[in-house]
Amino acid sequence: MAQRTATGTRARRTGATIEDVAAAAGVSNATVSRAIRGLPRVAQPTRTRILEIAKTLGYTPSASATGLATGRTRSIGVVTSSLRHPAYSAALEGAEKALHQREYSLILLHHPHLPTSPQPHTNLNMLRRRVDALLILGARTLGQNQIEQFIRDGIPCIVIRMHNEQDDGIQIQAAVTAICHLVQLGHADLVLFQDGATTGFQLRLKARGLEHCANALNAAGIRPREIRVETRSAAIRNSRKAFSRLWAETGPKPTAIVCASDEIALGVLLEAGHIGITIPKDLSIVGMDGQNLSEALGLTSVSHQPARRANAGIHRLLDALEGDHGITYAGESSPELVIRQSTAPRKQERA
Amino acid sequence: MAQRTATGTRARRTGATIEDVAAAAGVSNATVSRAIRGLPRVAQPTRTRILEIAKTLGYTPSASATGLATGRTRSIGVVTSSLRHPAYSAALEGAEKALHQREYSLILLHHPHLPTSPQPHTNLNMLRRRVDALLILGARTLGQNQIEQFIRDGIPCIVIRMHNEQDDGIQIQAAVTAICHLVQLGHADLVLFQDGATTGFQLRLKARGLEHCANALNAAGIRPREIRVETRSAAIRNSRKAFSRLWAETGPKPTAIVCASDEIALGVLLEAGHIGITIPKDLSIVGMDGQNLSEALGLTSVSHQPARRANAGIHRLLDALEGDHGITYAGESSPELVIRQSTAPRKQERA
DNA sequence: CTGAAAGCGCTAACAA
DNA sequence: TTGTTAGCGCTTTCAG
């Protein structure tokens, strides 16, 4: 029997220990340990008996003890700069699923990055001896130095870039995907409703080494107009206004619009409904990274698949951890187009 | 010096231990332990020196070792049935904040409840010896038996009810709040856009012991009409249709609408815009539990404040844990009305 | 195939 | 004020 009377008052009611199981089964705790974890050197009948007794006693190994003995906590930290943004939630869900499946636990840390003041590594320290590895949601969530610090401490890190960040390596791909879809539908007069922060589309194409893409568009005579929507506050309202203004302009109306976010798309949708424009007959709209909203609205959109990417990230992390090799850098999965009801071929009536 | 060469191959690079600090400071590890944790029986100069050395060495206590020694993991499990729903995200955020502030870590578990098949306590077991307590998001997330099981094991649990559940104890309060607001604005012809699952409003009032409320409404000649919107799929679209149908009816139009969810409100808003109804001049709309969306839309709404409630729940849990007393059952904070731009006094033109 | 024993890093009496 | 010591519950050699 385990001598449950700790050294004083620190007795805390705790479940059965490995010793209880060992005693009940008439074997040593070493054998129980092997049996429970499915390790080889245990006779089949012994194993069966032990497992049964363990179940009867409701035995669950103590994470702390295992952790102390093995040096691994079997838990992974997930650091995110947002819990409200749907894309981050999706990523979190993807990570949770992978972790749960592989029987790791997920330690969540919300670490919003205030643009001002390079806040010190606040309670990131808390993670140091608590997790085996780190999944970081958002490229700007942790500083490069902090990440290197962790890695130096033997904690592997993977960063999942999110689309709403300055670093638009993903966003630009998504825009290209959306445009391709529209061009295939015959649209030529496109306008891009961009997030206020981003720089010119054509410029970004080139910066990303996608000149061929820019050239192709030019060759086809397609030169998307760009409109900046201030999204810091009241994205929806600003988007409505921008669309209203656009539509009031003289000259030919665009036949398709690509929106840099769900909010922007919603604003366009609302105003279009108000003006009496029928979607997608009169106008095609593509949203971006549509989570719940664009599905509910029937909005065609291109998704960055945060859930899938975070999921894959966790698997890479755990593979590295368990295989004792470095992290493998699988190619990021590219944005995926989900076609719903807001896009249609261009009207050919008076072509 | 800590003898870092473990019993064989299990050497895993790990940071400085308490012994390293003790050796460097020329004291025993017991003293270091006291110094670091701010316990009393340490001389001030010694403490200062130790702290400094600890910092230099980058010492962080091992959670496993502390856990094993104290019997408490200093981490709390948060079980949620949804990571996508904004209200759950908000609750998660609230919980995370409280936990972080009190230097606990949050172990996240996603446990969607499939209505079918009473799934066994899957990997809930994983939590058993990993957390000191449990915060459960959603009344239907865990079975009563599972919760009792945990409590029997010495793991305190608190359940945070969420508004989108059958148990509408909160939802009904919210509806009452919304109606009061509208009545004060002079509205008398209200309609409730309800979630498909819920039962009659008046009935629920009575079931909740709110007869006086029902009576007051009757006395004032206010008898809200109720419309069920199927929200299982395409809530927004269904809500649009329902509103469109309502408006096409002959007879007097309602002057205000209470919506049981954001999606429903959005549907109404979209269709109202389409028909050419001006909000709030022609029609007042109140949403529910508006997270990001209703703010962006300028929708007046009543919030269940999941973040605040989860936050408070965590604090109660930790107080109980640290004070070694039971959980105190503070009254749930009631729904809060947030007035934005979608409600206005009833037009008095032809009264 | 099984057991004995030595830790993992920290805490908390108790003694000094 | 500080040190000594005995664990916390589990893993993992190394011997049987």
Side-chain angles (χ1 to χ4, degrees):
Chain A
M1 289 288 281
Q3 43 214 24
R4 188 64 47 69
T5 51
T7 327
T9 58
R10 79 181 113 133
R12 194 170 130 61
R13 201 199 344 155
T14 171
T17 76
I18 201 175
E19 275 205 66
D20 296 327
V21 178
V27 295
S28 74
N29 42 12
T31 305
V32 175
S33 178
R34 292 192 204 99
I36 300 259
R37 293 183 303 154
L39 294 188
R41 322 171 95 250
V42 181
Q44 193 51 80
T46 318
R47 185 188 300 271
T48 317
R49 186 159 42 91
I50 292 179
L51 257 33
E52 189 155 322
I53 292 180
K55 171 177 285 185
T56 312
L57 264 48
Y59 169 70
T60 312
S62 144
S64 302
T66 306
L68 187 51
T70 59
R72 347 202 53 149
T73 58
R74 245 192 133 66
S75 59
I76 303 296
V78 174
V79 186
T80 179
S81 49
S82 165
L83 284 168
R84 300 302 251 271
H85 193 297
Y88 288 76
S89 295
L92 188 56
E93 185 175 291
E96 200 280 342
K97 192 172 174 193
L99 252 7
H100 193 206
Q101 180 188 326
R102 294 180 69 160
E103 306 202 68
Y104 274 72
S105 53
L106 143 25
I107 298 200
L108 178 65
L109 206 67
H110 185 28
H111 190 251
H113 49 268
L114 330 183
T116 59
S117 80
Q119 64 195 119
H121 41 286
T122 328
N123 299 33
L124 248 52
N125 253 331
M126 217 169 96
L127 291 176
R128 306 263 307 240
R129 310 279 290 231
R130 293 220 131 198
V131 301
D132 295 339
L134 240 38
L135 185 81
I136 297 150
L137 264 30
R140 293 240 173 293
T141 302
L142 254 50
Q144 192 55 37
N145 40 357
Q146 312 201 60
I147 293 181
E148 275 163 13
Q149 173 80 295
F150 277 117
I151 289 176
R152 211 173 303 126
D153 286 6
I155 300 184
C157 298
I158 280 190
V159 176
I160 305 291
R161 286 181 303 164
M162 303 299 283
H163 74 290
N164 68 336
E165 307 193 284
Q166 309 297 77
D167 178 332
D168 54 12
I170 307 184
Q171 186 76 320
I172 193 78
Q173 278 183 59
V176 169
T177 308
I179 292 174
C180 287
H181 170 59
L182 291 168
V183 169
Q184 280 172 14
L185 289 174
H187 296 276
D189 193 353
L190 316 174
V191 6
L192 269 39
F193 271 53
Q194 305 248 42
D195 183 283
T198 46
T199 49
F201 176 66
Q202 303 271 350
L203 282 175
R204 281 153 68 213
L205 276 182
K206 293 191 175 136
R208 290 275 154 199
L210 296 170
E211 285 95 340
H212 62 281
C213 201
N215 296 337
L217 284 175
N218 283 332
I222 296 167
R223 186 156 173 71
R225 275 187 274 171
E226 294 178 51
I227 290 182
R228 302 282 161 73
V229 177
E230 187 50 63
T231 52
R232 287 203 184 263
S233 65
I236 298 181
R237 216 152 11 208
N238 290 336
S239 159
R240 278 191 83 143
K241 277 192 220 135
F243 180 75
S244 163
R245 229 176 290 127
L246 168 68
W247 213 256
E249 284 175 14
T250 54
K253 310 288 186 220
T255 65
I257 293 186
V258 176
C259 302
S261 77
D262 267 357
E263 284 73 32
I264 294 179
L266 180 53
V268 170
L269 220 56
L270 281 166
E271 186 61 20
H274 190 65
I275 298 180
I277 300 169
T278 308
I279 312 292
K281 191 165 64 80
D282 303 328
L283 181 71
S284 286
I285 300 180
V286 181
M288 276 214 186
D289 207 50
Q291 306 296 331
N292 31 33
L293 199 57
S294 54
E295 182 170 355
L297 288 169
L299 200 65
T300 292
S301 73
V302 15
S303 162
H304 296 294
Q305 312 194 90
R308 182 181 311 187
R309 284 171 37 237
N311 194 287
I314 289 291
H315 281 299
R316 294 212 305 281
L317 224 34
L318 300 190
D319 288 346
L321 234 37
E322 292 172 355
D324 226 11
H325 61 262
I327 297 168
T328 60
Y329 284 97
E332 290 259 342
S333 55
S334 19
E336 186 175 77
L337 184 70
V338 183
I339 301 179
R340 297 201 183 84
Q341 295 91 46
S342 70
T343 47
R346 183 172 63 132
K347 285 188 291 186
Q348 297 290 17
E349 302 163 32
R350 63 192 71 187
Chain B
M1 289 289 282
Q3 43 214 26
R4 189 63 47 67
T5 50
T7 326
T9 59
R10 82 181 113 133
R12 193 172 130 61
R13 197 191 357 146
T14 169
T17 77
I18 200 174
E19 275 204 66
D20 296 327
V21 179
V27 296
S28 74
N29 43 11
T31 305
V32 175
S33 179
R34 292 192 204 101
I36 300 261
R37 293 182 302 153
L39 292 188
R41 322 171 95 247
V42 181
Q44 193 53 88
T46 318
R47 184 187 301 270
T48 317
R49 185 160 41 91
I50 292 179
L51 256 34
E52 189 155 322
I53 292 180
K55 170 176 286 186
T56 312
L57 264 48
Y59 169 69
T60 312
S62 145
S64 303
T66 307
L68 187 51
T70 60
R72 349 203 51 149
T73 59
R74 241 192 136 67
S75 61
I76 303 296
V78 174
V79 187
T80 179
S81 50
S82 166
L83 284 168
R84 300 304 251 272
H85 194 294
Y88 287 76
S89 294
L92 188 56
E93 186 174 291
E96 200 280 342
K97 192 172 175 192
L99 251 7
H100 193 205
Q101 180 188 326
R102 293 181 68 160
E103 306 201 70
Y104 274 72
S105 54
L106 144 25
I107 298 200
L108 178 65
L109 206 66
H110 184 27
H111 190 251
H113 49 266
L114 330 184
T116 58
S117 81
Q119 62 194 123
H121 42 285
T122 329
N123 298 33
L124 249 49
N125 254 332
M126 217 169 97
L127 291 177
R128 304 265 305 244
R129 311 277 291 231
R130 291 220 134 198
V131 301
D132 295 339
L134 238 39
L135 186 79
I136 298 150
L137 265 28
R140 293 238 174 293
T141 301
L142 254 49
Q144 193 56 38
N145 40 358
Q146 312 202 62
I147 294 182
E148 276 162 13
Q149 173 80 296
F150 277 118
I151 290 177
R152 211 173 303 126
D153 286 5
I155 300 184
C157 297
I158 280 191
V159 176
I160 305 291
R161 287 181 299 165
M162 303 299 283
H163 73 290
N164 68 336
E165 306 193 284
Q166 308 298 75
D167 178 333
D168 54 13
I170 306 183
Q171 186 76 320
I172 192 80
Q173 278 183 60
V176 169
T177 308
I179 291 175
C180 288
H181 170 59
L182 292 168
V183 168
Q184 280 172 15
L185 289 175
H187 295 276
D189 193 354
L190 317 174
V191 5
L192 270 39
F193 271 52
Q194 305 247 46
D195 182 283
T198 47
T199 48
F201 176 65
Q202 304 271 350
L203 282 175
R204 281 154 68 213
L205 276 182
K206 293 190 175 138
R208 290 275 154 199
L210 295 170
E211 285 95 339
H212 62 281
C213 202
N215 295 337
L217 284 177
N218 283 333
I222 295 166
R223 187 156 171 70
R225 273 185 276 171
E226 295 178 51
I227 290 181
R228 303 281 161 72
V229 177
E230 188 50 63
T231 53
R232 285 201 185 264
S233 65
I236 298 181
R237 217 153 11 209
N238 289 336
S239 159
R240 279 191 83 143
K241 276 191 220 134
F243 180 75
S244 163
R245 230 176 290 127
L246 168 68
W247 214 256
E249 284 176 15
T250 55
K253 311 288 185 221
T255 66
I257 292 186
V258 175
C259 302
S261 77
D262 267 358
E263 284 73 30
I264 293 179
L266 180 53
V268 170
L269 220 57
L270 281 166
E271 186 61 21
H274 190 66
I275 297 180
I277 301 170
T278 308
I279 310 294
K281 188 163 67 78
D282 303 328
L283 181 70
S284 286
I285 299 180
V286 181
M288 275 211 189
D289 207 52
Q291 306 295 331
N292 31 32
L293 199 58
S294 54
E295 183 169 354
L297 289 169
L299 200 63
T300 293
S301 75
V302 15
S303 162
H304 296 295
Q305 310 193 94
R308 183 182 309 186
R309 284 172 36 238
N311 194 287
I314 289 291
H315 281 299
R316 294 213 305 282
L317 223 35
L318 299 190
D319 288 345
L321 233 37
E322 294 173 355
D324 226 10
H325 61 262
I327 297 168
T328 60
Y329 282 97
E332 290 260 340
S333 55
S334 15
E336 186 177 77
L337 185 71
V338 183
I339 300 179
R340 297 201 183 85
Q341 296 91 46
S342 71
T343 48
R346 183 173 62 133
K347 285 188 292 186
Q348 295 292 15
E349 301 163 31
R350 63 192 69 187

